[in-house]
Amino acid sequence: MTADTAIQTGWYHFDSGAHTVAHNLLVGALRAAHASGDSRLRAGALSFIAIHGYSAGDPRDAVTAARTARQVIADQDAPALHAMLLTRQARGHARLREDRQARTALEEAQALCARGRGEDDPHWLYWINPGEIMGQTGSCLLDLGRPDQAAQAFADARNAFSPDEIRTRAQFLSRAATAQMRAGDVDAGSATGHEVLALVSGVRSARLDDNLDTMLAEARRYSSAAPAQELLERGQAVMEERVA
């Protein structure tokens, strides 16, 4: 219970932008999980430490944490958990611009996800599906400087998310819009950007705000184009409301 509570509390702090507090809580969660003897819970704590690494710390920490987590559950029949950890590892590799290693991890994640859930996959890992893997693939490709391929990956992922998963959809669509504009498709990127802005009302997340800032910064590169200008005007109003 201590480990799970620390993980959840650490995640909420991380999502609100309190990265140092979040990291300390996640390290505490890892210690508690280790003391409990629950290898899957330990792997879960390491997966959140990996997110912190590629998002706000050292991407190499993400790679190390994900690899360690997979070693911890090596004796478990948990293909979904392994797939999730491989996406974390891939994100770390992508931030380090390690193209081959990122692609290898993603390919293995896709193969494991296709196997379905295993006997030892934890109940809390309900959200791993082909759409999640493809969305993480898009994020990796964006970090690797391949926006055209990233845009296609996000397009393949977008219909896999439930309409109820508003925050997740907004996260991925904001990255999709960034990828589209970075690939030179201003019209498509602006249209996707408007979809994002329509979703985010009432959704509070520092990570989402970072993605929105990146998306709007990309739109500013094309501010002379009418679609981008319209997106920027609406985006400014939305961001002002979010910080009010």
Side-chain angles (χ1 to χ4, degrees):
M1 290 178 64
T2 300
D4 185 61
T5 301
I7 288 173
Q8 296 301 323
T9 307
W11 173 251
Y12 294 142
H13 277 82
F14 177 71
D15 200 45
S16 67
H19 296 148
T20 300
V21 175
H23 184 263
N24 291 338
L25 283 162
L26 293 172
V27 170
L30 179 59
R31 290 172 177 158
H34 180 71
S36 76
D38 187 331
S39 60
R40 293 176 302 177
L41 190 58
R42 187 177 168 196
L46 284 164
S47 76
F48 283 97
I49 290 173
I51 296 175
H52 184 279
Y54 70 67
S55 299
D58 185 343
R60 294 199 182 278
D61 290 342
V63 174
T64 300
R67 283 176 171 167
T68 301
R70 293 199 67 207
Q71 292 171 358
V72 166
I73 58 165
D75 61 342
Q76 302 279 326
D77 175 27
L81 184 52
H82 278 280
M84 181 269 284
L85 292 167
L86 282 162
T87 64
R88 306 286 187 257
Q89 180 180 330
R91 293 292 301 273
H93 285 308
R95 283 293 172 95
L96 294 165
R97 293 301 183 99
E98 295 173 345
D99 191 303
R100 179 180 59 79
Q101 294 93 324
R103 289 176 181 273
T104 298
L106 289 167
E107 288 170 4
E108 189 174 353
Q110 290 170 357
L112 285 166
C113 184
R115 283 176 49 189
R117 299 187 65 81
E119 183 178 339
D120 298 319
D121 272 317
H123 66 85
W124 45 263
L125 197 66
Y126 60 88
W127 41 269
I128 284 294
N129 56 44
E132 169 69 19
I133 304 297
M134 190 56 65
Q136 294 293 348
T137 298
S139 293
C140 287
L141 290 167
L142 193 58
D143 285 340
L144 289 167
R146 301 177 183 275
D148 52 342
Q149 295 177 27
Q152 183 58 57
F154 285 126
D156 293 340
R158 65 177 296 157
N159 293 326
F161 297 109
S162 165
D164 296 331
E165 298 177 277
I166 296 174
R167 179 184 172 282
T168 300
R169 287 176 60 213
Q171 289 268 57
F172 279 117
L173 285 174
S174 64
R175 295 174 196 157
T178 298
Q180 289 168 327
M181 287 185 282
R182 200 167 287 175
D185 193 342
V186 183
D187 290 345
S190 298
T192 304
H194 280 290
E195 288 186 65
V196 175
L197 296 178
L199 287 171
V200 300
S201 177
V203 180
R204 299 302 179 194
S205 165
R207 292 182 73 219
L208 177 56
D209 288 347
D210 287 344
N211 284 326
L212 294 175
D213 284 338
T214 300
M215 178 185 79
L216 295 172
E218 200 64 36
R220 289 188 190 96
R221 296 178 54 208
Y222 303 97
S223 58
S224 60
Q229 183 60 46
E230 292 171 4
L231 177 64
L232 286 168
E233 290 174 359
R234 184 179 181 186
Q236 181 177 350
V238 168
M239 296 304 288
E240 288 175 353
E241 179 183 322
R242 292 178 70 80
V243 300

